[in-house]
Amino acid sequence: MAKRLKPVDVVVVGSSWSGGVVSAELSKAGYKIVCLERGPKRVLDDFTGVKDELRFTNRFELMQNLSHETITSRTDIDEVALPVRTREEMMAGTGSGAGSVHWAGATYRYWPYDFEIYSKTVERYGKKKIPEGMMLQDWGITYKEMEPYYERWEKTAGISGERDPLGERKSDYPNPPLKESPPIKLFKQAAKNLGYNPYQVPSANVSQRYENPDGEVINACMYCAFCTQYGCDFGAKADSLVTVIPTAQKTGNFELRTESYVRRVLHKGGKATGVMYVDTKTGQEYEQPAKVVVLGAFTFTNNRLLLLSGIGQPYDPKTRQGVIGRNYHGQFNITFRGARGFFNDKKFNLYAGAGALGGTFNDLNADNFDHSNLDFIHGGAVELRQYGDGAIASNHVPAGTPAWGPEFKKNSIHYAHRNMVVWYTPAIMSWWHNYVDLDPTYKDDFGDPLLRVTYKYTDQDRAIAKFGVEKCAEVVKEMGADIIDKDDIPQEFDHIYQGGHYAGGVIMGSDPSTSALNNYLQMWDMENLFVVGASAFPHFGGHHPTATVGALAYRASEGVEKYLKEGGILAEVRESNTA
């Protein structure tokens, strides 16, 4: 029997950027907030002195334990999906701060083209440019409307960067870019020689001590190289643990409950009444009533909770009707493909680095180049990153080198500081056959169905990846590499869910028949339920998603506050849809 707790104004599921931003903004406004996080409590001191590659990179200590709950995966709607069982196959953050703690820090805005992708594609190329089966649609919001929210998130996170020569932004980043290391200088010069417009990767690894508008301090990056898959013991990487969670806690209106596994959104008469969750330490079930429910968790969790709770119409691929689960997409093994260069006479200090220390350019992203004679739409960014090589994972040798023996040993030693990779981060479009639903066979510890992912690559995916690899190889050649190894293009999906860049399923838009949310991330079908995170993306842009997740969280925070004050579906949304 679930114990009923004292009602609060808002219950938030998830403590990463989505849930953290909403919690901070609403608690500052005076509302009583409870935030539920399924993983353990974590603080910065937990990461002190634990720069341990084996523990975090190889054994995935910050990631979800998939023996309790995972996903199932298949490539075709007629196949039987099988569970993804190892954290090497799927990494999903958990614990206080969740995925914001272990992210690298690369921070990009999506392009104006992204938010109006259907309209702008048809306007320039005509409807025939869009392949049959591609679920292309506008987001129901424009870049101009999004820009203030991007700026708010960048100021909260203290983003360090320089302006993209091709970008559209009104203000500079809050902090100057990270250092321009020799590899970055080499990359930038090569890109300029080829006619591109390179600049420094915008970074949440902060370049100098910074105090954000809420008074939270983020320290200067030490270039220690322990960013991706690690918590930052210096407090130099912007995450929810050093920004929005402390801000919320200082108000006295916020409570974070960890090891709290949410199983259902409770609802009655067309409105959410709260959530039901389990304290995984004791096994006790609780009902947390609230005026507003905010799902601010990972894409998989947001989708699964709605499906388990019977909220919204599930997507049916046979009829292509329904909204919950449609437009699922993400950056899988076919993305981050490029070319690795090996240098015989140039040597670099590749142990120093940071998660977002790097150079990039966007000449081949969005619709910044003519697609008239290309067999794909959109594009991606070309990047070089100096993460800082780990002793275990960084043993790159040229193709054709034996996997063991004297030649392998010789090459691994010689090229240890003489190799760099340039990759492409292509946009991922949505297709009718890629979606999520509940698995009919496999269940979690509580007997609830697991989320089932149905996903396969398309000609669009393979074409854009091949295009990107060739462009990366040209840059590496211009950098002066003596040996260039180009990545192969996977032909079929391999069921590897690495990186955490998965989106869609609970998408935003202007039409309730093709979207679950309005542009405040408020559900059309349940006006006091907001679903915040990358699950709202109708497609995946040619960049990392975090800045857009953060910006949308600020937009959603405004929506929740408007709802609490005014009630109903927001008036301005109704007006924009009937205009």
Side-chain angles (χ1 to χ4, degrees):
M1 178 70 69
K3 291 185 178 180
R4 183 178 172 86
L5 302 172
K6 182 180 178 180
V8 294
D9 293 313
V10 183
V11 60
V12 178
V13 180
S15 64
S16 190
W17 281 118
S18 297
V21 167
V22 172
S23 295
E25 291 304 294
L26 295 175
S27 60
K28 285 192 299 181
Y31 296 103
K32 296 296 182 182
I33 312 298
V34 165
C35 181
L36 302 173
E37 167 57 50
R38 69 182 176 188
K41 180 180 178 180
R42 289 197 179 101
V43 296
L44 289 187
D45 287 348
D46 293 334
F47 308 122
T48 301
V50 290
K51 299 182 185 300
D52 188 332
E53 186 183 0
L54 184 65
R55 181 176 166 187
F56 292 99
T57 298
N58 294 80
R59 295 179 178 165
F60 311 102
E61 186 167 306
L62 292 181
M63 308 305 169
Q64 174 187 344
N65 184 341
L66 301 181
S67 67
H68 301 298
E69 178 217 332
T70 184
I71 60 172
T72 65
S73 182
R74 62 181 183 174
T75 56
D76 192 88
I77 61 175
D78 296 322
E79 293 178 355
V80 175
L82 296 175
V84 176
R85 287 301 189 193
T86 72
R87 287 185 282 191
E88 187 174 7
E89 295 170 306
M90 187 182 84
M91 293 181 287
T94 192
S96 305
S100 75
V101 173
H102 70 77
W103 76 309
T107 308
Y108 298 96
R109 297 180 179 187
Y110 277 7
W111 289 79
Y113 174 72
D114 283 300
F115 298 104
E116 302 172 271
I117 189 169
Y118 177 84
S119 299
K120 290 182 177 295
T121 299
V122 171
E123 179 183 349
R124 185 171 182 180
Y125 304 107
K127 290 185 179 180
K128 291 183 178 180
K129 187 66 175 176
I130 303 172
E132 197 283 323
M134 182 184 284
M135 308 280 269
L136 199 67
Q137 62 191 76
D138 295 343
W139 289 39
I141 197 168
T142 65
Y143 176 82
K144 184 177 180 180
E145 293 173 298
M146 282 289 293
E147 183 160 28
Y149 304 107
Y150 273 125
E151 187 169 326
R152 286 179 68 184
W153 183 80
E154 288 166 354
K155 287 181 177 178
T156 295
I159 301 304
S160 300
E162 63 178 335
R163 285 178 178 260
D164 179 352
L166 303 180
E168 299 183 27
R169 56 179 301 128
K170 294 179 180 178
S171 61
D172 291 332
Y173 288 100
N175 287 302
L178 295 175
K179 295 182 182 297
E180 190 180 65
S181 67
I184 297 172
K185 289 180 181 178
L186 187 62
F187 169 84
K188 283 185 171 181
Q189 188 57 56
K192 288 178 182 178
N193 293 346
L194 293 170
Y196 299 126
N197 293 274
Y199 68 107
Q200 203 86 352
V201 172
S203 172
N205 321 113
V206 179
S207 62
Q208 60 187 9
R209 186 183 184 276
Y210 172 75
E211 182 175 324
N212 77 10
D214 291 318
E216 310 301 343
V217 173
I218 310 171
N219 292 317
C221 179
M222 303 295 288
Y223 302 92
C224 74
F226 289 86
C227 295
T228 308
Q229 300 174 326
Y230 299 85
C232 181
D233 58 336
F234 292 126
K237 179 174 67 175
D239 58 29
S240 66
L241 287 187
V242 297
T243 58
V244 288
I245 296 299
T247 296
Q249 289 171 329
K250 289 174 184 176
T251 67
N253 296 320
F254 170 81
E255 180 185 356
L256 175 63
R257 298 177 193 159
T258 54
E259 297 181 275
S260 299
Y261 185 87
V262 179
R263 292 183 58 199
R264 295 292 189 278
V265 176
L266 304 174
H267 55 98
K268 184 177 181 180
K271 284 193 174 183
T273 59
V275 300
M276 186 272 280
Y277 73 95
V278 178
D279 182 331
T280 55
K281 300 188 298 296
T282 66
Q284 176 64 52
E285 288 186 350
Y286 293 95
E287 178 183 337
Q288 178 58 68
K291 296 176 184 176
V292 172
V293 173
V294 176
L295 301 184
F298 194 44
T299 291
F300 295 147
T301 301
N302 285 348
N303 275 275
R304 183 167 180 253
L305 280 174
L306 291 175
L307 291 167
L308 288 173
S309 304
I311 300 174
Q313 182 182 0
Y315 172 70
D316 182 347
K318 294 180 180 179
T319 63
R320 304 190 190 182
Q321 301 298 309
V323 294
I324 306 301
R326 73 175 263 153
N327 281 52
Y328 171 74
H329 50 272
Q331 291 186 315
F332 296 96
N333 202 24
I334 202 167
T335 58
F336 299 104
R337 295 273 152 174
R340 184 175 296 276
F342 294 87
F343 300 81
N344 291 331
D345 300 320
K346 293 177 181 175
K347 194 171 184 179
F348 309 94
N349 176 15
L350 299 179
Y351 280 140
L357 178 63
T360 186
F361 60 82
N362 280 304
D363 302 74
L364 304 175
N365 201 356
D367 204 34
N368 296 336
F369 59 110
D370 188 6
H371 290 71
S372 297
N373 297 318
L374 297 173
D375 53 355
F376 61 87
I377 66 170
H378 212 301
V382 175
E383 286 186 351
L384 176 142
R385 295 271 203 100
Q386 187 173 340
Y387 285 106
D389 284 351
I392 299 173
S394 305
N395 200 356
H396 301 290
V397 293
T401 301
W404 63 283
E407 186 179 352
F408 171 79
K409 187 174 183 179
K410 175 184 176 183
N411 283 351
S412 65
I413 293 172
H414 178 73
Y415 290 112
H417 291 282
R418 304 173 194 265
N419 76 92
M420 288 180 286
V421 64
V422 175
W423 63 30
Y424 195 56
T425 59
I428 305 297
M429 300 297 103
S430 298
W431 297 82
W432 72 270
H433 49 72
N434 293 339
Y435 68 103
V436 296
D437 65 353
L438 294 178
D439 192 280
T441 304
Y442 294 97
K443 303 180 186 302
D444 69 5
D445 282 353
F446 299 100
D448 290 329
L450 298 181
L451 189 74
R452 178 172 63 179
V453 175
T454 305
Y455 195 89
K456 63 181 176 182
Y457 296 146
T458 64
D459 291 340
Q460 153 88 17
D461 298 319
R462 288 182 282 266
I464 197 171
K466 181 179 179 181
F467 171 86
V469 166
E470 295 301 326
K471 297 300 181 181
C472 290
E474 291 174 7
V475 175
V476 172
K477 181 179 180 181
E478 186 65 27
M479 290 170 66
D482 297 286
I483 301 170
I484 301 173
D485 287 344
K486 295 190 291 187
D487 286 335
D488 296 328
I489 307 300
Q491 295 303 300
E492 303 298 337
F493 179 44
D494 58 4
H495 306 285
I496 301 296
Y497 294 80
Q498 289 186 334
H501 294 176
Y502 316 119
V506 195
I507 64 172
M508 60 190 293
S510 58
D511 183 353
S513 70
T514 58
S515 62
L517 313 171
N518 65 25
N519 62 30
Y520 282 97
L521 308 194
Q522 179 187 33
M523 285 205 72
W524 296 112
D525 292 345
M526 193 165 287
E527 61 188 20
N528 67 333
L529 176 58
F530 291 73
V531 186
V532 188
S535 54
F537 293 11
H539 73 274
F540 208 100
H543 280 313
H544 310 286
T546 309
T548 303
V549 169
L552 285 173
Y554 276 107
R555 173 77 174 178
S557 301
E558 280 189 10
V560 175
E561 190 168 3
K562 285 175 182 286
Y563 174 80
L564 287 167
K565 290 179 178 178
E566 304 168 8
I569 295 290
L570 302 172
E572 60 192 270
V573 174
R574 287 198 301 267
E575 292 169 3
S576 66
N577 288 336
T578 57

